[in-house]
Amino acid sequence: MENIVGDRVLIAVQAVNISRLSTHPVPTVPGTLIVVAGAGPKDSNGAGKSSFIASITALLGDEQWRFASGAKAVSELLFNAELASGAGAKQWASADHGYIVGVFGPPGGPEDGEAADAEDGELFTVPTGGAVTVWLRVNQEAPHLEIRWREGVHLASAASEAERVARADELWGALPRSAGRRDVVARDLTKVLYGDRVRCVSFLSTSVRSKVATNLLSQPLNEISPERVFEAIAALTGLDTELEQEREARRDEHAKRVRAAQAGDRLKEFEAESKALLATFDRRDQARVRLAEALRCWRGRQARKLADAAGKDDTLATEALRHQEAAEAATQAIGRVKAEIATLKDDTLDRRVAEARKDLAASQARVAKLDADRAVAANSADELRRMVPALEETRRFADGRDVPAAEQEVRAARLLLNEALKGLGVADREVASAQAALDDAEGGPAAAQLNALTAAGIAATGLLDALDVAEQARDHDGVPQRGWPNEHAVIVAAGELEAAAKALAGLPGSVLVSSAGVSVVGAFDGVATGREARIKAAEHRLNRARDTQESAARAVQEAEEEVAQAQRRLEGAKAGVRLAELEERLAERRERLTELTAALEEAAPKVAESERQTAALDFRARTRDLEIERLEGHRQRHESDRDQARDQEKRVGSEREALKLAALAADWGGTAEGAREWIAALPEEERPRGADEWWRMAERHFDQAQRDTFPEEDAEIPEELRFLLSERAGSTAREQATFAAVCGALASYLRGQEEYEQHQRRQIEAQVVSRQRDLAAADKGAEEAAQSTAVHRAALSAAIKARLTRVAEEFDKLDTGYGGYGATLEFPVPPAPADPEQRWQWRVTPKWKRGEGQGYVPYNRRANTALMDEKAVKLVCAAAIASSGGGHLCLVLDELGRNLGKEHRREAVALFRRIGETYGITVIGALQDDMEPYAIDACGQYIKLRRSSDAMPYNEPPVIVGHDEHAERVRQLAAYVERSPVRLLGEIATTG
């Protein structure tokens, strides 16, 4: 299922919960220039123009939204209360979903039919295969886009914005799912709706876009570099994706070359490591002997530490008993003081103080609220009084009329004005006809023949000018009946007859009359006689027509004045109604002020009494707290004595624990008595050695064993041994704590090496062969990747040149077809960059001829602003035409004409319209205030988005002026919008 829209074109769009846009449907005129203006609180900014055109690009599948990645950026178009309404954000909630709805109709427009009921969501009836409505649901959470569609026209219609939002949710639920049990999502949008055809290209400056392409219309064309010109054309023609694929191919080639180099480095490194490994085997026997001596010295240290710690523990046990007795005496004194404090800490007084403070706070809050309400009411009354003079002044224009009577007068005056305008049009046509008749009479019959004979030097006169015809021979207008040969007959002398015939050879139908006879050169149509009579009758008719024209013009002027007077009366009547409402509201405010003042006077004595009672209770509470504070001081001194005794007891206990007799006995593997016996059995010279001396000897033997086992600093040490060595570094305590474990790990390693050595030699030989094979495979892969990249680059280069050639051809056609002498593009093929992360940068240089037969001149040469603006417009349209593939295309531009000079803006905008209508391109452009006067007359459709205040989160209904050859379709769209109980304050005009 794909290409649902097919060859249909966009004829209407509706946004629901999209930015601050109104939910009113907006009809669009395909195949022309559509300008989108704005009227925000201060200027055109803030009206939602960028959001409106951005939503159209999302609907039409503009690939710059990254649909393959889920189109998350589209969710940023949803209504955001904080951004849309400023300080009013607390009254509104941000939307978690919204809709972009598009109606697509046949290119020829819908067939005439009766409009369907608005309650059913149908805009007008269409035949099978006619319009289709596409709904895009935009979600804040994934999936960010869901698509549904249905034959016919289905838009949300209701009386208010909130009801239309609710109606949109109902319509979405009634639409069938587009992919069976689920909906089509963003990644399949272009394929399903448009069959992967390009339907939209854009230059957007909105912040929601992940990448903003260079806009050829945002600054003078000659200030844009050739590299940026290519980037703009690539964005319009879809070359960005292909260039990114080429860069990915270069990255793959680079990665494979890096892997090949790494394989070679690993082979060399392994050979060097193997050689060093074989040299260590001879030193390991000596390391085993030194490790055994290190373990014996370590055991001597453990025996000495256990014997010394046992003697110190006996002394500390006696001191701990003395500190325990002192702590018990202090605890008994603390209990007596706490009993006295508990007696004083009865919470009855505290409850009374809390209740009094609560009552006081409530009274003060009531007074503050009454005072604030009174200030608000006073300000409101002042504002209403300031509005009265202006309304009274406007009410005087009503002259005693009410609103219905004034509206009736306005309608009657406008009817009279329409009749007067019709009469003026009839009079204008009569004046033009009479003037044409007078000009014809003054030219006279046979004028061309007489002029030719005069140029040849031959005297002659017209036959009909020489005749005076009777009144009964004339037609009903008073002009003699014309006809051949009379009209083209001239009288000449008989001797000049032959010369006259030669002079009139180029005027077939001429007739020569002389005394020698009549000579006919050809044949003409009829003519009148009596030249002076004809002229006089034509002048009389022209004078009558001009008198009638003046009378009609005076009638039009009088009717226009009457319409203006009736409009002023209507405004005065409406002001009277508003004045009555305002006076009623002012009376209500004054009554409210009186009530609030009385309430304040009544509440003041109650607040004073609450303050007095609260102060008295606070004094009693402070006195009780002072006594409690004195007793707390005694308790703290006793607790300090108790804590000090307990700290001393804990210190002694910590010292006993620090001796770690159990751990020392466990390390020794026996009791303290056994350690003393082991020391007594040592030779005489070793018995006096302390624990530190035993430790130093053990450490020296271990260090030598380690150096013998791993003589090189970068030797391959087992992971467990490496970890233990790293853990013991930094302090003597850590070295001693890990000594047994590190000796055990080293001993285990040395035992394993005897069996491992032969196996290691065989592994070394196998590893060398394997790594050589990996190196060969990596070299082959790098070579194949380089060949693949070269082939891909060649194909891409041909595709880019073909696409740019097509753009150049369209650029030349547009230039020669709209006032130029020819244009082209110069695009040399650049070398591929060496850096795999660098983009393949092309350069495009636009060129054009400045005169017939002249050569092409580069775009960055000095030229007038109008020429530069014209060429930029043509280049943008040429790129759009080249990317359309022959189907209907929509070109969306933000900040339309921002860079165009004031004297050339109207011509540039008109050129957009002519090119769009010629090639079937719909050009949609958002513009600022300074462009509006130039674009409104030159566009094919005008849309103005309105928002009068920052306090309003949503736009007002848009103003729409559409010029469409299918007038019936636009009338039906207008009727659909106007059926809403709240009438749309826009205008939809049609010209057939």
Side-chain angles (χ1 to χ4, degrees), residues 324-469:
Q324 184 179 5
E325 293 173 352
E328 290 176 355
T331 300
Q332 294 175 359
I334 292 172
R336 291 190 296 271
V337 174
K338 282 185 177 180
E340 295 181 18
I341 293 175
T343 303
L344 294 174
K345 283 189 175 180
D346 183 24
D347 61 348
T348 302
L349 181 60
D350 291 334
R351 287 198 301 271
R352 293 179 61 189
V353 170
E355 291 175 357
R357 289 176 179 174
K358 182 178 180 181
D359 293 341
L360 176 60
S363 300
Q364 292 174 340
R366 284 195 298 272
V367 170
K369 184 178 184 303
L370 290 173
D371 190 51
D373 291 345
R374 183 178 62 180
V376 171
N379 291 336
S380 178
D382 292 341
E383 292 178 359
L384 294 175
R385 282 195 295 272
R386 286 195 292 271
M387 297 168 61
V388 169
L391 291 175
E392 291 178 343
E393 181 66 21
T394 305
R395 186 180 59 180
R396 292 190 304 101
F397 293 110
D399 294 337
R401 292 170 176 80
D402 57 6
V403 173
E407 290 177 344
Q408 180 63 30
E409 289 184 2
V410 171
R411 287 192 292 271
R414 287 179 177 171
L415 289 175
L416 293 176
L417 176 59
N418 290 336
E419 293 298 329
L421 290 172
K422 292 178 182 179
L424 180 58
V426 173
D428 290 341
R429 288 194 297 272
E430 177 60 21
V431 169
S433 176
Q435 183 65 49
L438 177 60
D439 294 341
D440 184 53
E442 289 177 347
Q449 285 78 6
L450 292 175
N451 291 335
L453 293 174
T454 300
I458 301 172
T461 185
L463 176 62
L464 296 182
D465 291 339
L467 299 178
D468 189 8
V469 181

Side-chain angles (χ1 to χ4, degrees), residues 4-254:
I4 299 300
V5 174
D7 294 328
R8 299 179 182 92
V9 295
L10 183 67
I11 61 174
V13 64
Q14 183 180 31
V16 179
N17 282 341
I18 299 300
S19 185
R20 58 172 61 94
L21 299 178
S22 167
T23 57
H24 293 85
V26 178
T28 59
V29 180
T32 186
L33 171 63
I34 302 174
V35 297
V36 181
K42 297 180 180 178
D43 50 22
S44 66
N45 294 317
K49 302 188 301 296
S50 297
S51 298
F52 177 72
I53 63 175
S55 64
I56 291 179
T57 62
L59 176 65
L60 295 177
D62 185 0
E63 278 300 330
Q64 294 189 53
W65 287 107
R66 302 185 182 275
F67 292 102
S69 301
K72 184 180 185 302
V74 180
S75 63
E76 298 180 18
L77 294 176
L78 288 172
F79 173 76
N80 186 296
E82 182 178 0
L83 298 179
S85 56
K90 297 180 180 179
Q91 304 175 6
W92 307 89
S94 298
D96 60 351
H97 73 278
Y99 302 94
I100 303 173
V101 188
V103 180
F104 295 85
E111 303 200 6
D112 293 342
E114 182 178 356
D117 188 359
E119 292 299 325
D120 295 332
E122 282 285 350
L123 189 57
F124 47 79
T125 58
V126 292
T128 303
V132 62
T133 303
V134 175
W135 282 66
L136 265 65
R137 178 183 171 107
V138 183
N139 300 313
Q140 192 66 250
E141 303 294 337
H144 300 289
L145 277 187
E146 297 174 285
I147 302 98
R148 296 181 183 179
W149 61 85
R150 190 174 184 179
E151 293 292 332
V153 181
H154 304 272
L155 298 174
S157 173
S160 66
E161 293 282 349
E163 292 174 350
R164 281 190 288 273
V165 172
R167 178 62 175 158
D169 287 333
E170 294 174 4
L171 286 176
W172 173 262
L175 292 173
R177 292 186 181 273
S178 52
R181 295 185 178 179
R182 64 175 183 85
D183 290 316
V184 172
V185 292
R187 65 175 180 271
D188 299 322
L189 182 145
T190 55
K191 180 179 181 181
V192 172
L193 293 183
Y194 310 111
D196 285 335
R197 285 171 51 188
V198 177
R199 293 296 297 265
C200 177
V201 292
S202 65
F203 282 144
L204 296 184
S205 58
T206 176
S207 62
V208 299
R209 306 302 293 274
S210 58
K211 177 183 179 183
V212 180
T214 301
N215 190 339
L216 297 177
L217 305 176
S218 64
Q219 63 186 101
L221 184 61
N222 56 359
E223 295 181 3
I224 302 176
S225 65
E227 290 83 1
R228 293 179 61 202
V229 172
F230 171 76
E231 290 176 0
I233 296 176
L236 288 172
T237 57
L239 290 174
D240 275 344
T241 303
E242 298 179 10
L243 286 171
E244 188 62 28
Q245 291 174 354
E246 186 275 340
R247 181 158 59 178
E248 288 296 332
R250 280 191 282 113
R251 288 174 180 167
D252 181 66
E253 177 189 354
H254 176 73

Side-chain angles (χ1 to χ4, degrees), residues 446-450 452 484-485 487-490 500-512 519-526:
Q449 285 78 6
L450 292 175
W484 183 86
E487 180 180 5
H488 301 282
V490 295
K502 293 182 179 179
L504 296 178
L507 298 171
S510 301
V511 178
L512 297 175
S519 175
V520 179
V521 179
F524 278 171
D525 295 333

Side-chain angles (χ1 to χ4, degrees), residues 819-832:
Y821 301 97
T824 187
L825 299 177
E826 181 179 282
F827 43 89
V829 179

Side-chain angles (χ1 to χ4, degrees), residues 488-673:
H488 301 282
V490 295
I491 303 173
V492 298
E496 295 180 342
L497 184 61
E498 183 178 354
K502 293 182 179 179
L504 296 178
L507 298 171
S510 301
V511 178
L512 297 175
V513 180
S514 68
S515 58
V518 178
S519 175
V520 179
V521 179
F524 278 171
D525 295 333
V527 74
T529 61
R531 182 170 182 271
E532 293 181 1
R534 292 196 311 276
I535 293 174
K536 186 177 294 183
E539 289 176 346
H540 182 62
R541 179 187 176 189
L542 178 60
N543 291 333
R544 289 200 309 271
R546 286 177 175 170
D547 292 340
T548 302
Q549 184 185 38
E550 292 176 359
S551 298
R554 286 194 299 274
V556 169
Q557 184 177 3
E558 292 173 357
E560 289 176 344
E561 293 175 355
E562 184 61 27
V563 169
Q565 180 65 20
Q567 189 65 38
R568 287 193 297 273
R569 290 169 181 166
L570 177 59
E571 293 176 356
K574 292 181 178 179
V577 174
R578 291 196 297 273
L579 182 60
E581 296 175 352
L582 188 145
E583 289 175 348
E584 182 179 351
R585 291 170 59 194
L586 184 58
E588 294 176 356
R589 297 296 187 276
R590 289 171 177 167
E591 182 179 353
R592 178 62 176 165
L593 276 174
T594 303
E595 295 175 356
L596 292 173
T597 303
L600 280 171
E601 293 175 353
E602 181 181 353
K606 296 180 180 179
V607 173
E609 178 62 21
S610 296
E611 290 176 347
R612 187 190 64 76
Q613 292 179 0
T614 302
L617 291 172
D618 282 340
F619 177 76
R620 291 178 58 187
R622 286 195 298 272
T623 303
R624 182 204 60 185
D625 292 341
L626 289 174
E627 180 62 20
I628 292 175
E629 183 178 354
R630 185 183 66 79
L631 293 174
E632 287 288 349
H634 291 305
R635 181 181 62 80
Q636 290 175 1
R637 285 194 298 273
H638 291 309
E639 288 178 348
S640 177
D641 294 342
R642 181 198 61 188
D643 294 341
Q644 185 176 3
R646 288 178 177 177
D647 290 342
Q648 292 296 329
E649 183 181 358
K650 290 180 180 179
R651 178 186 61 78
V652 173
S654 298
E655 291 181 0
R656 295 185 67 187
E657 290 179 359
L659 294 176
K660 297 180 180 180
L661 284 176
L664 293 175
D667 291 341
W668 162 249
T671 62
E673 188 61 30

Side-chain angles (χ1 to χ4, degrees), residues 867-885:
L867 178 64
M868 201 65 65
D869 295 342
E870 175 195 351
K871 303 303 182 185
V873 171
K874 292 177 179 178
L875 181 55
V876 170
C877 292
I881 294 169
S883 65
S884 66

